Amino acid sequence: MQAGNTDLLRSACLIGGDWLPAQGDKVFAVHNPASGQLLAQLPDCGAAETRQAIAAAALAWPAWRQRTAHERGALLKRWHALILAATDDLAALITAECGKPLAEARAEVAYGASFVEWFAEEGKRAYGETIPSPQPARRLLTLRQPVGVCAVITPWNFPLAMITRKLAPALAASCVVVAKPAEQTPLTALALAVLAERAGIPAGVINVVTGSAASAVAIGQTLCDDPRVRKLSFTGSTEVGRRLMAQCAPSIKKLSLELGGNAPFIVFDDADLDAAVEGALLAKFRNAGQTCVCANRLYVQQGIHDRFVARLAERVQAFKLGDGAAPDTAIGPLIDAAALSKVEALVADAVAAGARVLSGGQRRAEGGNFYLPTVLTGMTRAMRIAREEIFGPVAPVFRFADEAEALTQANDSEYGLAAYVYTRDLNRALRVAEALETGMVGINTGIISNEVAPFGGIKQSGIGREGSRHGLDEYLEIKYLCIDAG
Ligand code: ADP
């Protein structure tokens, strides 16, 4: 690994300010998905360690709550500065454990850090309100108070940003957290915790419980069952989100869920062809297609279809596939062999039903978890890709005739996270954006995420919003005070 600053590397979990190494053979391994190299052995925590972490968080909460928003903001700003100062090391770590190209990893550090800065400020604006009273003698007001101990479970595709997008608003709202990073990418989360400690964030405010895929079930169950945990924020698959939601039902926990997506990317005949192709490349191939807002279905109107696919295929063929740490790599590996098999099966299903491969269409001949960047045409609604999230570098193009058909097909999904529309017609852009059943719409752009805007989905893509002023609300409760001042 190229992480020069090795003191950010930890092979321990963090509970109540103590870095606890693995006990005996309770360890799991973290590998580089590009090379298969062993990166670290970490504690394989279970229910007992999770309960310990919840207790540590609960213990830390009263003092953390007592701090002023200004003091918490100052600590978060220090954390933000340390994250940015460690960009090279954090980016190397992200690339080593999740495989994305170094340039993307560096962009993730900046993106992830931006949430810390944003919420350092936003925490100072957790305003309540005064409400005009219906009775003369009464005074009505609201306070916004922290939820308390929050459980945070994150995926591997943004090892840094998914942690900061949850921890920063939680801490700014004066909550405390138990975080369970993905088993594939816990090292970045631990490095962030080292920097938080260095920034002066008190022991127990951030706890990190590491565990294997098998242990995730016990850790998750413990977090959901424990009545001291008042909220769960989860980013990951819809399937696991559904399960966690059910597990949280008995204790009625507050929930934020960022789940799967199946983003439509609609290109109308009047679109700027160059801009649409550029946007599609960004929306589709970032992180080798492994983001929940990646374009999953490209709907291209018949008048521009052939020119669009020819241009797209030409650009896609030029992508350099390889280890994310190598210079010029545009597309890294998929996260593991299971992800590779899934992409392969989805493409095989489409090809068997008549799809045409314009580029790629197979795994890399030299082996490893690599799939060639692919463009498919002749896609139909009957194919699995029309309904399932690909999570790989495959751009499937569906041809459509008119706006009504594009909208019907785009909305024909259980998911509703992001959508993209390319057209020069302002009225159509607004009409289509309003009719799309998604939480976010990119209009003439393939990149929409930033810290100031509300990120989140509708339908089975989730509940709640992250980033923006709304992101803080997820960690606050409203308390209403009714005062008889007569
Ligand atoms: P992905 O398909 O992106 O790997 P998952 O939903 O499987 O998404 O995983 C996202 C996060 O959820 C990871 O941290 C993983 O360990 C965790 N996870 C998986 N299954 C469970 C479960 N049953 N309970 C709690 N966490 C889980």
Side-chain angles (χ1 to χ4, degrees), residues 50-70:
T50 307
R51 272 194 291 272
Q52 238 177 299
I54 296 168
L59 193 66
W61 190 36
W64 183 241
R65 255 191 111 163
Q66 289 307 314
R67 304 273 188 123
T68 63
H70 196 269

Side-chain angles (χ1 to χ4, degrees), residues 153-157 180-184 211-213 216-221 234-241 243-244 247 391:
I153 301 179
T154 55
W156 50 264
N157 60 345
K180 206 297 283 176
E183 57 275 9
Q184 299 93 335
S212 62
V217 179
I219 295 170
Q221 186 77 54
F234 170 74
T235 297
S237 61
T238 293
E239 186 194 342
V240 173
R243 175 177 178 159
L244 291 171
Q247 287 176 187
F391 246 59

Side-chain angles (χ1 to χ4, degrees), residues 207-413:
N207 303 277
V208 185
V209 175
T210 52
S212 62
S215 301
V217 179
I219 295 170
Q221 186 77 54
T222 307
L223 290 169
C224 294
D225 286 349
D226 198 306
R228 291 171 295 183
V229 176
R230 294 305 318 138
K231 181 198 168 78
L232 170 71
S233 179
F234 170 74
T235 297
S237 61
T238 293
E239 186 194 342
V240 173
R242 207 177 272 130
R243 175 177 178 159
L244 291 171
M245 190 174 179
Q247 287 176 187
C248 285
S251 58
I252 316 284
K253 287 196 203 324
K254 197 173 164 85
L255 277 174
S256 299
L257 302 172
E258 297 285 358
L259 309 176
N262 184 0
F265 186 101
I266 308 172
V267 182
F268 286 97
D269 281 346
D270 67 354
D272 176 332
L273 179 64
D274 291 337
V277 170
E278 282 310 317
L281 292 169
L282 288 170
K284 175 70 249 182
F285 292 97
R286 202 159 53 104
N287 203 11
Q290 303 172 107
T291 87
C292 50
V293 292
C294 271
N296 206 60
R297 300 167 289 156
L298 283 76
Y299 294 105
V300 184
Q301 200 165 11
Q302 53 199 13
I304 197 172
H305 176 277
D306 292 355
R307 281 177 294 144
F308 178 89
V309 293
R311 187 81 65 87
L312 185 69
E314 186 188 313
R315 292 290 304 277
V316 165
Q317 269 155 10
F319 276 148
K320 191 162 169 274
L321 187 69
D323 189 321
D328 303 333
T329 293
I331 309 271
L334 296 182
I335 190 68
D336 54 27
L340 184 64
S341 301
K342 182 181 174 198
V343 172
E344 218 169 29
L346 288 175
V347 173
D349 167 81
V351 169
R356 209 174 129 226
V357 178
L358 287 199
S359 82
Q362 55 191 309
R363 59 170 74 195
R364 188 179 74 166
E366 303 93 295
N369 298 326
F370 293 89
Y371 197 85
L372 299 181
T374 296
V375 176
L376 300 176
T377 56
M379 297 297 299
T380 68
R381 302 167 89 153
M383 297 168 182
R384 281 177 60 192
I385 286 178
R387 298 178 304 282
E388 294 180 41
E389 201 173 14
I390 307 168
F391 246 59
V394 176
V397 182
F398 299 70
R399 184 193 289 263
F400 73 88
D402 58 26
E403 186 179 315
E405 185 191 353
L407 267 175
T408 304
Q409 293 207 33
N411 286 337
D412 182 18
S413 171

